[in-house]
């Protein structure tokens, strides 16, 4: 089992939901954690609560990624784990009801931002000869549901990008993993203007702490092993595919 006590970790979208749970799990494991987000007040509150370093940034901004990587390397000299968690539903609904702006924003938040981070992390980790990149996708990457076309397309793109990135980086000792969660105890449903779930069902959905525990365990795998893809379903969620 890999010791994380001297590791440097970046978690995007780390101010709430899955990101906050992931960041807290790594911090508890002894890692030095940076979290990013666009809401400075919420980001700093979370960072103070879990013992992380806040960095205000939009993941779709390449210049912000450059500043973040420069700060992390200046303070620690390395980057061990990058968790690309940031993403948003933007607008869940039929393709005919989407707007150009919503489509562009969804692709930027759910695909482009992670690719920008991976490009920079890959260069650092190749030079180190080690590292782990985890891209948080969605069960929507492989399952089709009405109204989810734009979001699903972005997450499917991220899944294929991650698969290809693994083939590029494994010769350098760098591991790349896709994690594809489904129903969760996060603010995603409300943010996407979807109906709230029944409290009894919600209690059985994936919690931020659940996902954090899974990712710490993934990072602690022996360096010669890689989990290529992990799809995580709540037992309470129907899995029927069209």
């Amino acid at each position: 089992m890999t010791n994380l006590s001297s590791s440097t970790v970046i978690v995007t979208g780390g101010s709430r939901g899955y990101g906050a749970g992931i960041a807290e799990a790594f911090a508890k494991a002894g890692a030095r954690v940076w979290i990013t987000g666009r809401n400075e007040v919420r980001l700093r509150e979370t960072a103070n609560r879990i013992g992380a370093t806040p960095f205000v940034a939009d993941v779709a901004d390449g210049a912000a990624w450059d500043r973040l990587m420069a700060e992390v390397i200046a303070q620690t000299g390395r980057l061990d784990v990058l968790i690309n968690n940031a993403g948003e539903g933007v607008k869940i609904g039929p393709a005919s009801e989407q707007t150009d702006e919503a489509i562009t924003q969804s692709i930027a938040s759910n695909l482009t931002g992670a690719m920008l981070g991976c490009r920079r992390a890959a260069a650092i980790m190749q030079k180190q000869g080690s590292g782990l990149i985890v891209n948080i996708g969605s069960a929507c990457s492989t399952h089709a549901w009405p109204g989810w076309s734009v979001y699903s397309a972005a997450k499917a793109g991220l899944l294929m990008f991650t698969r290809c990135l693994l083939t590029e980086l494994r010769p350098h000792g760098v591991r790349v993993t896709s994690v594809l969660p489904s129903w969760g105890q996060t603010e995603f449903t409300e943010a996407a203007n979807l109906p709230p779930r029944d409290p009894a069902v919600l209690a059985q959905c994936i919690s931020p702490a659940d996902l954090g525990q899974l990712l710490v365990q993934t990072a602690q795998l022996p360096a010669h092993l890689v989990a290529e893809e992990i799809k995580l379903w709540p037992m309470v969620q129907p899995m029927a595919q069209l």
Side-chain angles (χ1 to χ4, degrees):
M1 180 180 293
T2 303
N3 187 344
L4 299 177
S5 62
S6 59
S7 297
T8 299
V9 178
I10 294 173
V11 181
T12 68
S15 65
R16 59 179 175 172
Y18 283 153
I22 294 166
E24 184 172 10
F26 274 97
K28 287 181 176 178
R32 186 169 181 183
V33 181
W34 270 258
I35 60 172
T36 76
R38 293 175 295 192
N39 186 314
E40 183 173 1
V41 173
R42 184 167 55 207
L43 184 70
R44 293 192 179 280
E45 288 175 350
T46 301
N48 289 337
R49 178 175 61 82
I50 68 176
T53 300
F55 190 93
V56 180
D58 183 335
V59 293
D61 181 357
W65 273 110
D66 288 336
R67 294 192 298 272
L68 173 59
M69 293 298 183
E71 177 177 310
V72 171
I73 295 303
Q75 294 194 31
T76 69
R78 60 183 300 108
L79 174 61
D80 297 292
V81 181
L82 169 62
I83 309 291
N84 280 309
N85 164 76
E88 56 185 333
V90 185
K91 180 177 176 62
I92 305 301
S96 60
E97 298 176 7
Q98 297 287 333
T99 64
D100 292 349
E101 292 77 15
I103 291 172
T104 299
Q105 183 180 344
S106 186
I107 299 299
S109 297
N110 295 298
L111 176 59
T112 306
M115 294 173 73
L116 294 178
C118 285
R119 181 181 81 79
R120 290 156 173 82
I124 294 169
M125 292 177 178
Q126 281 182 204
K127 188 175 181 179
Q128 291 174 176
S130 66
L132 170 67
I133 296 172
V134 179
N135 290 330
I136 306 297
S138 168
C140 293
S141 302
T142 57
H143 278 59
W145 288 287
W148 292 81
S149 58
V150 175
Y151 178 81
S152 297
K155 290 300 189 181
L158 181 60
L159 175 59
M160 186 54 69
F161 173 80
T162 307
R163 289 173 175 171
C164 293
L165 189 62
L166 174 58
T167 68
E168 295 176 7
L169 296 183
R170 62 187 299 176
H172 302 279
V174 180
R175 300 177 292 170
V176 187
T177 298
S178 286
V179 175
L180 312 177
S182 197
W183 287 0
Q185 297 175 20
T186 70
E187 298 176 11
F188 184 97
T189 301
E190 291 77 10
N193 294 314
L194 298 171
R197 294 197 179 96
D198 181 270
V201 172
L202 185 62
Q204 299 179 66
C205 292
I206 305 164
S207 73
D210 292 335
L211 201 59
Q213 180 182 10
L214 176 64
L215 265 64
V216 166
Q217 291 170 343
T218 300
Q220 290 176 328
L221 284 171
H224 63 279
L225 299 177
V226 60
E228 179 186 7
E229 293 171 20
I230 303 170
K231 188 180 290 185
L232 192 63
W233 291 90
M235 294 287 281
V236 73
Q237 181 180 1
M239 298 171 62
Q241 173 64 298
L242 295 178

